[in-house]
Amino acid sequence: MIIDFHTHIYPDLIAARTIKLLEESGNIKAYTLGNLADLKRSMKENWIDISVVLPVATKPSQFETINSFAAQINNRDGILSFGGLHPDTENYREELDKIKQLGLLGIKLHPDYQKTYIDDPKMIRIIQYATELGLMVTIHGGLDIGLPNPIHCTPERAANMLGEIHNPKAKIILAHMGGYALWDEVEKHIIGKKVYLDTSYSLGMMEDEQFVRMVQNHGADRVLFATDSPWADQGETFKHLRKLEFTEEEFAYILYKNALKLLGMEETKETD
Ligand SMILES: [Zn+2]
């Protein structure tokens, strides 16, 4: 079984335009068309059982559109979607309640697109309340190749944030192995802390040796397989991970066991 914990798609009406804009700003190439149908094609070709879609609200006003699309695609044909909200939202509690009511399992925060530091009280209050509702929180970590400095979620700031969240059951996930392009800082401030790391856009972005060391020092039971599709190919990312020197038990944790646990899905059938 394979679960990809970090993917992006957009409503059909805006997918082509959005992908083009993001390709230009990040100087990168998309591996899918950025719509639901093409993500499903990629999943089928690459034996991905579940993809978690992570939308980002870049303005408070996007709340309705983003979350109604999220609810529409959620829980169908192997797609699970998180919701999105913007930290400038004053009625963040109400919005988080709505996300919960829609049946979405978590939220995505992107401190760079949302121009808010991850240890800002506006982010902390959202993360605190979301985790009280039992929602997962995935946070973009490190540099975003499409956006200029400053980096709003450095490993040091992420560590500050973690210290401010008072909930032993909090399910917080730092994307891009804790901080894209800031790998050494991740090793210094994040590795070993009680937080999940997703592997999106990190394999091949550092030495494999460092990647393996980070996973083993952090614990494979807190690392989630994730690709950042369409910005990486699901199949290539899987192949890259699979050739690394982990035990079969470690692979199982990374590829699906941790995800199943977070998603509250029982391991009922023998799929591996
Ligand atoms: Zn992403």
Side-chain angles (χ1 to χ4, degrees), residues 76 100 109 148 151 157 159 163 196 246:
R76 280 194 195 113
K100 177 83 181 172
L109 295 170
I151 297 170
R157 286 185 187 275
Y196 286 86
F246 292 117

Side-chain angles (χ1 to χ4, degrees), residues 237-255:
T237 308
F238 172 76
K239 276 185 223 148
H240 194 136
L241 178 77
R242 210 66 179 91
K243 70 169 203 223
L244 300 179
E245 286 186 20
F246 292 117
T247 64
E248 283 311 309
E249 196 191 4
E250 286 170 325
F251 277 124
Y253 274 122
I254 299 167
L255 288 169

Side-chain angles (χ1 to χ4, degrees), residues 6-8 54 56 108 110 140 144 175-176 200 228-229 231:
H6 187 143
T7 66
H8 302 285
L54 304 176
V56 174
K108 165 79 181 275
H110 197 312
H140 171 93
D144 187 290
H176 317 303
S200 64
D228 213 6
S229 171
W231 308 116

Side-chain angles (χ1 to χ4, degrees), residues 119-157:
D119 51 356
D120 184 295
K122 283 195 280 186
M123 286 293 198
I124 307 270
R125 66 185 189 177
I126 287 176
I127 299 165
Q128 178 67 37
Y129 187 57
T131 63
E132 283 168 20
L133 292 176
L135 292 168
M136 286 173 265
V137 182
T138 293
I139 302 159
H140 171 93
L143 178 75
D144 187 290
I145 52 173
L147 294 170
N149 279 328
I151 297 170
H152 292 82
C153 185
T154 58
E156 198 169 358
R157 286 185 187 275

Side-chain angles (χ1 to χ4, degrees), residues 37-103:
D38 211 38
L39 175 61
K40 284 194 197 159
R41 175 207 46 87
S42 166
M43 289 167 69
K44 203 168 168 210
E45 274 173 22
N46 298 301
W47 306 92
I48 308 285
D49 297 277
I50 296 172
S51 286
V52 178
V53 172
L54 304 176
V56 174
T58 56
K59 284 182 256 169
S61 60
Q62 291 173 336
F63 182 81
E64 292 293 339
T65 22
I66 282 186
N67 294 298
S68 67
F69 177 66
Q72 199 187 312
I73 60 170
N74 187 36
N75 237 332
R76 280 194 195 113
D77 303 333
I79 303 288
L80 291 172
S81 183
F82 280 21
L85 79 168
H86 195 281
D88 286 342
T89 308
E90 276 311 315
N91 59 340
Y92 68 96
R93 281 177 172 258
E94 221 173 280
E95 293 204 338
L96 286 167
D97 289 340
K98 268 190 222 161
I99 285 172
K100 177 83 181 172
Q101 281 156 19
L102 285 171

